[in-house]
Amino acid sequence: MSPLKLLEVSGVSVDVAGKRLVHAAEVSVGAGEVVSVIGPNGAGKTTLLRVIANDLQPASGVIELGGRDIAGIDARERARQMAVLTQHNSLEFAFTGLEVVSLARGPHSTGAALDLRICREAMEAMDVGHLAGRLYPTLSGGEQQRLQLARVLAQIWRAEDAGSYDQRRLLLLDEPATSLDIGHQHQLMRAVREFAATGVGVLMTVHDITLAASYSDRLVLMKNGRCVAQGEPETVLTDTVVSDVFDTQVLIIPHPESGKPVVVGV
């Protein structure tokens, strides 16, 4: 059975400074589904996420969240249904880790005690509970990244906070694992998968193709602003397609245990 359609991007093009960065994109995400956008630098991956997050306006096309034009959803209501983690999260104030994560609960009116519990649960999911009292500027880049992910998880942690009849929730992540060591990369991806299992739709850009293939239900492969392939990892990741898109010779082999595609340079 197909998952309930949560996000629908139809024919969306994006122009920035007079240049077209995304061409007629077609992307969908179902409730409980993890979809990763992959592609070389400059392919338009971040621009695609930014237009979905309503940070950019499309030159054409429609973006719907739960069947509604996303631009027409009130900002507070949208914040209850959609959380966004950008690549760069500059924060210089001497907030503690817990205070940083607590910023996510602003759109809600659930009360301090429940908000605190939610924040601590999200922090434990990202293995940063021990950073609750640490000052954010003193943390490593990887620790800051994991705290920021805990923050966006806390923003849409409970389905009943979404404020919609079908309790829709969408998580947008732009390169969430880039600054992490290999252990925390997999811990993060497992946490994202577990979060999706609660009914959240996840759309993220991922630099590491093998990592994306390991944890995603579907992949969207972009090149020069166009979505050139979509589908299950085993379908999208072929020697010919990946070699062409990244302009380098690769070999795709199955993982010896999971059978998921592994990209090897040759």
Side-chain angles (χ1 to χ4, degrees), residues 4-258:
L4 175 69
K5 194 64 65 65
L6 181 65
L7 173 72
E8 187 76 30
V9 177
S10 305
V12 167
S13 297
V14 184
D15 297 338
V16 176
K19 182 178 180 181
R20 181 142 296 185
L21 300 184
V22 174
H23 301 259
E26 302 279 344
V27 178
S28 66
V29 181
E33 189 176 32
V34 177
V35 179
S36 291
V37 185
I38 60 174
N41 294 338
K45 304 185 297 295
T46 293
T47 302
L48 178 61
L49 253 66
R50 288 186 63 196
V51 74
I52 294 171
N54 207 40
D55 288 340
L56 296 172
Q57 296 305 307
S60 61
V62 178
I63 301 169
E64 293 181 333
L65 180 63
R68 298 171 61 192
D69 188 330
I70 205 164
I73 302 176
D74 174 80
R76 185 180 180 89
E77 182 183 359
R78 191 167 61 242
R80 290 172 175 167
Q81 299 173 9
M82 180 174 68
V84 183
L85 180 67
T86 60
Q87 279 192 49
H88 307 290
N89 297 280
S90 57
L91 180 61
E92 302 298 331
F93 295 107
F95 291 159
T96 66
L98 181 57
E99 287 172 335
V100 170
V101 177
S102 297
L103 295 172
R105 298 302 298 171
H108 305 286
S109 303
T110 43
L114 180 55
D115 285 347
L116 178 61
R117 193 189 82 195
I118 289 171
C119 290
R120 290 196 179 279
E121 288 176 354
M123 291 177 75
E124 290 302 323
M126 288 311 307
D127 191 29
V128 290
H130 61 291
L131 301 178
R134 293 277 303 278
L135 296 180
Y136 185 82
T138 69
L139 302 177
S140 71
E143 289 172 330
Q144 291 181 351
Q145 182 76 347
R146 285 152 54 211
L147 266 176
Q148 290 290 352
L149 184 57
R151 174 181 60 80
V152 295
L153 294 184
Q155 183 178 329
I156 54 173
W157 189 253
R158 303 193 321 156
E160 54 265 45
D161 289 340
S164 57
Y165 73 93
D166 57 0
Q167 300 179 333
R168 68 181 72 95
R169 291 177 293 159
L170 176 67
L171 183 63
L172 301 178
L173 306 174
D174 195 5
E175 301 285 3
T178 298
S179 62
L180 304 182
D181 60 62
I182 187 171
H184 282 113
Q185 284 183 348
H186 287 276
Q187 186 267 335
L188 178 149
M189 297 296 270
R190 287 193 297 269
V192 168
R193 277 237 60 107
E194 291 171 4
F195 194 51
T198 68
V200 178
V202 180
L203 180 66
M204 58 182 171
T205 65
V206 181
H207 179 73
D208 187 321
I209 306 173
T210 299
L211 188 69
S214 297
Y215 291 94
S216 304
D217 297 300
R218 290 187 294 114
L219 300 178
V220 177
L221 180 58
M222 295 189 70
K223 180 182 182 181
N224 296 330
R226 301 181 187 277
C227 300
V228 297
Q230 296 191 46
E232 296 180 354
E234 296 82 358
T235 302
V236 171
L237 299 181
T238 67
D239 300 347
T240 302
V241 170
V242 176
S243 296
D244 175 67
V245 168
F246 288 88
D247 195 27
T248 188
Q249 195 65 34
V250 301
L251 180 66
I252 310 296
I253 61 174
H255 189 280
E257 294 185 359
S258 68

